[in-house]
Amino acid sequence: MDLIKNNHQETEATFVRSVYNSMFNFTQDAISLLDTELNIIRANIPFMNIARNYSPSTEISHIFDLIRNEDDRRCFLSVIDDNIVSREITLDSLQEKEPCVLHIKLGPIKDNGRIIGAYAIFVDITDFRKRENELNRRFKLICNLVDNANLGIVIIGQDHKVIESNDRFCEMIGYSHEEITDLHSWDWEYLADENAIRKGFADLSEVRYTFDTIHKRKDGTTYHATVSASGADVFGDGNDVIMCISEDITAKKEMEEKLRLSETKFRTYLENAADMILTVDIDGKINYVSPNCERICGFNADEIINKRAADFFITEKTESEKDPFGTLFIDDNNNKYRSFKIMHRDGSFHWYGVTISKTSDVNGKDIIICNTRNIDESIEKEKKLEYLSLYDHLTGVPNKAFFDAMLKRAQTSAHRPLSLLVCDLDYLKTINDEHGHAKGDEILQKTAQLIQSSLRKADFISRVGGDEFAVILPGAGQKEAMSVVKRIYRTFKDHNSLKGAFPFNISIGIATVNDPLTSLKDALNEADLNMYSRKQINKGELQR
């Protein structure tokens, strides 16, 4: 029986030694066994690795060779007084390595109740503490961002009640941090009531929205907001919540409204302005036209854009200026004024005055701005002024200034022969005195009509004095000129023979030039003298 008992004890002792050796030698934790003086009796490899990196001694024999902090040393000494210690210590490296953070477990070793030493187990938690510190740093950073952000952040539970919010969101809706946790989302949502919110956000896990809305403050006022809402299991307990990030966009909305009103006003101005504005790119193509173009010329903008400016703005093109817009890009003169014709949709042509200026677009490319205004009325006035400056307002035939210009032009021409007629209305003063100036004006008008009706197509008539008309007969020699004169006399005779006609006559003088070097002014004086000679003959015939 004693033999069995002894065998059993030996087996148990062997088992215990195997367990001890396995735990001591194959664990990743550092273990050291100490005597009552804290001398190291035995230590495993992980402990020796720690000692080699963090002990000033090359050979460590006492635990205090490794433990240098006085508080930590007192913990080791307390174990000999039958205390069990569990705490965290930090070992500073003497080899410029990072500090080592260890969780230690200390306890006494007893033999039949008597303390014979101590054990020390060291667990390296350096990496754990690094990760923990990094997480804490990030957490503080996030908290700082949340607290100081200009964005309102609120977490709402499945019941749509506030779980947490930052100070900015409290400030935005006007509630204190204590008050806001009693609110539901419909308490500040202005555009949706409770039923709409519960229906729209029934499954929080599916919420992934960004939307513009209006929030209501505690005092009843409202503001525009953009909300980004995301549903998630933030706390890891299976209960989804909504995290809402809210931005007050009242200033943005006000700016957008001002911009909209400004654009509306600008468009109204453009649509109703008298001026049509176009821009031309460096290729000579129209790349913008103001929306009033359809009202002004009948074409909509799409029909004009990409059209060649030189085809839209019509001018009398010369060899040196086939495309007037092409030269403007290299012209140093930044502003020019030109007149062009533009064909309207109905096929009619109208005059436009165009103020042209060179500038750059938003991309820095050269463009030409054409401020275009209809000048039909001005052109018509100019034509009238030109007409009045060149035509006699009473008879409608060219005046003396026009005649002088045509005579000068004929002088430079080598086309001969050429004949000149001077026609003078007889007895105009008597007609004015006896029948009034209105009758005299009427006779002058009729005289011009009768002379002009007797002339050839190429002949030129003008009124050069009160009762005097001059005629240029290009290519007419003496014989052909006399034929014209006879035709004029016959025309007057036919008129005077009409029933009820007021009879009147003219005297005509002729001068014919065959040599291009002969002065036409001298020839005109000759015709004038001949006219007076004829007038005397007419008077004599009348007196007989």
Side-chain angles (χ1 to χ4, degrees):
M1 194 69 181
D2 290 338
L3 180 60
I4 295 174
K5 183 177 180 180
N6 288 336
N7 289 337
H8 178 74
Q9 289 176 343
E10 288 179 5
T11 301
E12 182 178 358
T14 300
F15 178 78
V16 169
R17 280 195 300 273
S18 297
V19 170
Y20 164 75
N21 287 330
S22 296
M23 293 179 63
F24 191 84
N25 293 315
F26 297 106
T27 181
Q28 294 182 351
D29 297 334
I31 301 174
S32 65
L33 303 179
L34 313 174
D35 62 16
T36 55
E37 299 298 326
L38 300 184
N39 294 308
I40 298 173
I41 304 301
R42 189 175 182 186
N44 65 357
I45 292 175
F47 178 84
M48 296 308 296
N49 289 335
I50 293 174
R52 183 166 51 253
N53 291 323
Y54 293 94
S55 173
S57 304
T58 55
E59 293 187 4
I60 181 170
S61 59
H62 195 279
I63 194 63
F64 286 174
D65 291 337
L66 179 64
I67 307 300
R68 297 185 294 278
N69 181 274
E70 290 299 325
D71 288 338
D72 295 340
R73 286 181 172 183
R74 280 192 285 272
C75 290
F76 277 84
L77 291 171
S78 69
V79 173
I80 304 303
D81 293 332
D82 201 12
N83 291 310
I84 295 175
V85 176
S86 178
R87 66 174 291 169
E88 187 175 302
I89 67 171
T90 300
L91 299 180
D92 294 323
S93 172
L94 299 178
Q95 303 173 21
E96 297 183 355
K97 293 184 179 180
E98 291 183 352
C100 179
V101 182
L102 302 171
H103 182 80
I104 60 172
K105 295 179 181 180
L106 309 176
I109 299 175
K110 297 181 180 181
D111 181 22
N112 294 323
R114 183 173 65 89
I115 297 174
I116 61 172
Y119 66 86
I121 301 173
F122 302 81
V123 179
D124 190 343
I125 58 171
T126 303
D127 291 340
F128 173 79
R129 283 289 177 252
K130 284 181 180 178
R131 291 193 297 271
E132 184 180 58
N133 290 338
E134 179 62 19
L135 289 174
N136 287 334
R137 187 189 68 80
R138 292 183 181 181
F139 178 75
K140 289 179 181 178
L141 178 61
I142 292 172
C143 289
N144 187 55
L145 289 173
V146 168
D147 290 338
N148 294 284
N150 198 37
L151 301 174
I153 300 175
V154 59
I155 299 175
I156 302 169
Q158 188 70 49
D159 57 356
H160 301 280
K161 190 175 182 181
V162 174
I163 297 174
E164 186 58 84
S165 75
N166 68 346
D167 293 339
R168 174 56 180 156
F169 187 77
C170 295
E171 177 187 341
M172 289 167 68
I173 62 173
Y175 288 89
S176 68
H177 203 273
E178 291 73 21
E179 292 173 320
I180 204 167
T181 52
D182 292 328
L183 300 181
H184 294 81
S185 55
W186 48 79
D187 290 322
W188 65 78
E189 183 57 53
Y190 183 76
L191 299 179
D193 58 15
E194 179 180 350
N195 291 332
I197 291 175
R198 286 189 181 277
K199 183 178 179 180
F201 295 87
D203 186 356
L204 299 190
S205 64
E206 296 297 323
V207 173
R208 294 288 187 279
Y209 305 143
T210 297
F211 56 92
D212 288 350
T213 185
I214 298 177
H215 284 171
K216 179 175 62 179
R217 300 185 182 94
K218 181 180 179 180
D219 61 8
T221 59
T222 60
Y223 66 93
H224 290 272
T226 292
V227 177
S228 177
S230 299
D233 182 7
V234 175
F235 300 107
D237 56 3
N239 295 315
D240 291 325
V241 299
I242 301 178
M243 178 176 289
C244 297
I245 300 176
S246 177
E247 180 183 7
D248 187 341
I249 59 169
T250 302
K252 177 184 175 183
K253 285 290 184 181
E254 290 175 352
M255 184 62 68
E256 288 176 351
E257 180 62 15
K258 287 180 181 178
L259 181 60
R260 186 190 67 80
L261 292 174
S262 177
E263 289 177 346
T264 300
K265 186 183 294 185
F266 181 68
R267 185 172 184 85
T268 300
Y269 289 160
L270 287 180
E271 288 176 347
N272 296 281
D275 294 359
M276 180 169 58
I277 300 174
L278 304 93
T279 60
V280 180
D281 63 21
I282 198 167
D283 295 323
K285 291 184 178 180
I286 298 170
N287 56 12
Y288 170 80
V289 61
S290 55
N292 59 349
C293 62
E294 189 166 6
R295 177 176 58 81
I296 292 174
C297 65
F299 295 105
N300 61 50
D302 291 338
E303 293 175 293
I304 298 175
I305 290 175
N306 289 326
K307 191 173 185 178
R308 289 183 71 249
D311 294 334
F312 184 73
F313 294 101
I314 302 169
T315 184
E316 294 296 329
K317 297 173 184 162
T318 65
E319 283 300 317
S320 61
E321 192 181 30
K322 291 184 178 180
D323 182 0
F325 291 91
T327 60
L328 291 172
F329 283 100
I330 57 176
D331 196 334
D332 291 334
N333 187 359
N334 193 42
N335 291 281
K336 283 190 174 183
Y337 181 84
R338 297 287 301 271
S339 296
F340 297 96
K341 279 185 178 181
I342 294 177
M343 186 183 76
H344 287 198
R345 177 178 284 281
D346 61 6
S348 60
F349 288 88
H350 297 266
W351 281 99
Y352 285 84
V354 183
T355 302
I356 302 170
S357 57
K358 185 172 68 174
T359 185
S360 299
D361 63 13
V362 293
N363 298 315
K365 295 182 179 179
D366 287 342
I367 60 170
I368 290 174
I369 299 176
C370 302
N371 197 309
T372 309
R373 174 171 291 191
N374 184 279
I375 56 171
D376 281 342
E377 188 175 340
S378 297
I379 293 293
E380 188 63 29
K381 287 180 179 179
E382 287 178 8
K383 287 181 178 180
K384 286 181 179 179
L385 289 173
E386 182 181 6
Y387 179 85
L388 291 174
S389 68
L390 296 175
Y391 287 82
D392 177 51
H393 71 280
L394 177 62
T395 63
V397 299
N399 60 16
K400 187 176 185 304
F402 200 169
F403 177 81
D404 290 342
M406 291 299 291
L407 192 67
K408 184 177 180 180
R409 180 179 176 183
Q411 181 70 68
T412 60
S413 171
H415 188 61
R416 299 290 183 273
L418 178 144
S419 294
L420 299 174
L421 305 182
V422 176
C423 310
D424 190 82
L425 177 61
D426 295 338
Y427 302 109
L428 176 61
K429 185 176 184 306
T430 302
I431 295 172
N432 286 333
D433 292 343
E434 295 181 0
H435 301 279
H437 285 277
K439 190 64 177 178
D441 290 346
E442 180 185 333
I443 297 302
L444 282 169
Q445 291 172 341
K446 193 64 180 177
T447 298
Q449 293 172 8
L450 294 175
I451 296 173
Q452 194 163 32
S453 67
S454 305
L455 299 178
R456 302 169 306 170
K457 186 175 181 180
D459 298 337
F460 179 82
I461 181 176
S462 67
R463 184 185 178 194
V464 294
D467 56 0
E468 192 171 286
F469 296 85
V471 180
I472 301 174
L473 304 175
Q478 182 72 25
K479 183 178 178 180
E480 191 170 356
M482 285 302 300
S483 297
V484 174
V485 170
K486 289 178 181 179
R487 192 160 55 245
I488 294 173
Y489 280 134
R490 187 167 55 249
T491 301
F492 273 79
K493 184 178 180 180
D494 291 343
H495 169 267
N496 292 336
S497 65
L498 294 174
K499 185 179 180 179
F502 187 93
F504 59 94
N505 291 293
I506 62 171
S507 300
I508 304 174
I510 307 173
T512 299
V513 177
N514 293 301
D515 186 355
L517 299 178
T518 301
S519 170
L520 294 184
K521 287 186 178 181
D522 292 342
L524 183 64
N525 290 332
E526 180 185 345
D528 193 48
L529 291 173
N530 291 335
M531 178 272 296
Y532 278 109
S533 297
R534 183 62 191 175
K535 187 178 282 287
Q536 293 302 318
I537 294 172
N538 289 345
K539 283 183 180 180
E541 291 178 350
L542 184 62
Q543 289 173 358
R544 288 196 296 268

